[in-house]
Amino acid sequence: MWRADAFLESMYNEAVEKTKDSQASMSAEERKRYLKQALRRLIGEFETNENHKPVLLEQESCDGYIRERIELSAVPGLSFASYILIPEDQGKPMPAAVAVHGHGYGSREIVGLRQDGSSDPEPPGIHQHFAVQLVRRGMVVIAPDVAGFGERRLAADLARNPEAANSCHRLSTQLLMHGKTLAGLRVAETLRALDYLAERPEVQPDRIGIMGFSGGGLISFLCAALDERIRAAVLAGYPNTFKDSIMAVQHCICNYIPGMLSHAELPEWIGLISPRSLYLESGTDDRIFPAAGFNLAVEQLRDTYRRAGAEERLRTDLFPGAHEISGRNSYDWLCSELERVAHA
């Protein structure tokens, strides 16, 4: 055959069978350790920056909370900004969350600002200003600028097109040439934001969650899988199977991590978060992370949590909507789960 359709399908089927054989040859804990080690290797590890001190860039009093902007660094030679939202009524340390945006104009899109940094009074877009929703529920929230978006687009891309949506392609391809991935860089920076958040005096470091939308859902699941300081995770507009999402629909290159499918399908990777609390939400009309794949992932993850004796810690919501955040239950769930952790 000249076309490779059947060839690709056979490769997928072989990968699934290989996964089943590996699962059968290991205990659940052995399998989890194996996948975590593989995950670190697949995304590529980065040298850490031990010398950079956080820099306060700005501070502003908002409606019920204080918004700061901090400069952080995770790897030598590269820094990034993060917004910190802190409830005004802070009598004692509070639970906290890392909020990770998806494709768009950066962290400003989730903290209630326009691309130029001015206040955004208009109805929110698909990100729903979700970092603001979380701080209004009594959580300290950090929203890091994800590499490749907004102010972190590459000069080379802006020179070609000042309106370039992002720099995902150039960042991804150049990092791949070094045996690393853009996902790995984004995870390193998000975990640095987590380090900083845990050190804040307003925060209870044993009550930290994460919430990410779309590409931010990818980053959030990777961080939660690798770092157990994250006690609860909300993945919105991302949970699915590889086959039904990034292998079926043309996605941004930043979603692809070489070799992941040779070890496991996406639901098993997400299952590395178990038995910690996990909330999955997706829209019925999401065209890039379709409902059918979401339902398959939910079915497999329910089995994972059931076998871990933690079925009650998995919650899901397939809501009427498209590729967007709902939050109709997930914001309150995250708040209540972090409260439950405090009394466990």
Side-chain angles (χ1 to χ4, degrees):
M1 288 188 184
W2 289 4
R3 295 188 179 91
D5 304 71
F7 173 71
L8 292 174
E9 183 69 17
S10 69
M11 286 188 69
Y12 178 84
N13 292 335
E14 288 172 10
V16 169
E17 289 304 312
K18 179 182 174 183
T19 292
K20 290 179 180 177
D21 291 342
S22 181
Q23 290 168 335
S25 67
M26 302 179 189
S27 69
E29 284 305 310
E30 288 172 336
R31 176 75 174 160
K32 182 175 282 191
R33 286 195 298 271
Y34 164 77
L35 287 178
K36 285 186 177 183
Q37 290 171 357
L39 186 57
R40 290 188 178 92
R41 184 175 68 254
L42 290 170
I43 65 174
E45 296 191 74
F46 289 80
E47 180 184 353
T48 57
N49 187 355
E50 305 291 347
N51 300 318
H52 186 272
K53 302 298 182 184
V55 178
L56 177 64
L57 302 174
E58 59 187 67
Q59 186 178 61
E60 185 171 346
S61 181
C62 301
D63 182 17
Y65 62 94
I66 297 166
R67 185 180 65 234
E68 297 180 355
R69 204 176 194 207
I70 308 291
E71 183 185 72
L72 302 171
S73 177
V75 301
L78 182 62
S79 60
F80 62 99
S82 294
Y83 282 104
I84 315 289
L85 311 183
I86 308 161
E88 281 185 341
D89 299 327
Q90 38 172 301
K92 58 182 180 179
M94 294 167 282
V98 182
V100 191
H101 66 83
H103 285 65
Y105 60 81
S107 61
R108 287 173 173 166
E109 193 162 359
I110 66 175
V111 300
L113 299 175
R114 293 189 174 117
Q115 189 166 359
D116 63 4
S118 62
S119 179
D120 183 9
E122 300 298 324
I126 61 175
H127 281 84
Q128 298 296 324
H129 294 171
F130 76 89
V132 177
Q133 295 294 331
L134 296 178
V135 73
R136 292 199 187 285
R137 284 163 171 79
M139 287 179 265
V140 180
V141 182
I142 189 166
D145 266 333
V146 176
F149 300 107
E151 294 178 291
R152 302 197 69 195
R153 290 170 293 175
L154 295 177
D157 289 323
L158 293 174
R160 293 185 61 186
N161 176 14
E163 302 301 320
N166 59 67
S167 290
C168 295
H169 187 273
R170 191 181 297 268
L171 279 165
S172 293
T173 52
Q174 295 204 23
L175 285 168
L176 286 171
M177 294 299 290
H178 295 282
K180 300 183 185 296
T181 68
L182 182 51
L185 175 60
R186 289 171 172 174
V187 166
E189 293 189 335
T190 304
L191 292 179
R192 175 64 189 102
L194 172 64
D195 292 338
Y196 174 77
L197 183 65
E199 294 167 356
R200 293 280 303 213
E202 306 93 343
V203 170
Q204 287 184 290
D206 59 346
R207 295 175 64 194
I208 297 178
I210 195 167
M211 181 170 183
F213 169 62
S214 192
L218 166 62
I219 301 166
S220 296
F221 115 68
L222 292 171
C223 289
L226 294 172
D227 196 321
E228 296 197 358
R229 289 177 298 173
I230 297 172
R231 305 303 297 275
V234 176
L235 309 181
Y238 177 75
N240 221 275
T241 66
F242 287 139
K243 186 175 186 181
D244 290 294
S245 58
I246 67 170
M247 295 177 70
V249 182
Q250 186 168 341
H251 277 256
C252 181
I253 191 173
C254 67
N255 285 283
Y256 301 87
I257 300 172
M260 280 196 82
L261 185 58
S262 66
H263 295 279
E265 244 285 9
L266 182 53
E268 188 177 7
W269 286 113
I270 294 175
L272 293 177
I273 298 170
S274 72
R276 287 167 290 145
S277 300
L278 176 62
Y279 194 103
L280 312 175
E281 71 169 34
S282 193
T284 53
D285 299 317
D286 191 328
R287 295 185 177 181
I288 60 175
F289 291 99
F294 176 80
N295 286 330
L296 284 172
V298 166
E299 181 181 343
Q300 293 179 46
L301 281 159
R302 279 185 180 144
D303 183 59
T304 297
Y305 271 75
R306 189 180 303 114
R307 286 186 281 108
E311 192 172 4
E312 75 286 353
R313 296 182 193 166
L314 175 66
R315 291 288 182 271
T316 67
D317 183 18
L318 185 62
F319 61 87
H323 186 61
E324 58 190 323
I325 281 199
S326 164
R328 62 180 183 178
N329 298 314
S330 56
Y331 302 143
D332 291 334
W333 175 90
L334 183 57
C335 186
S336 64
E337 281 303 292
L338 294 177
E339 182 66 28
R340 182 190 63 77
V341 165
H343 297 99

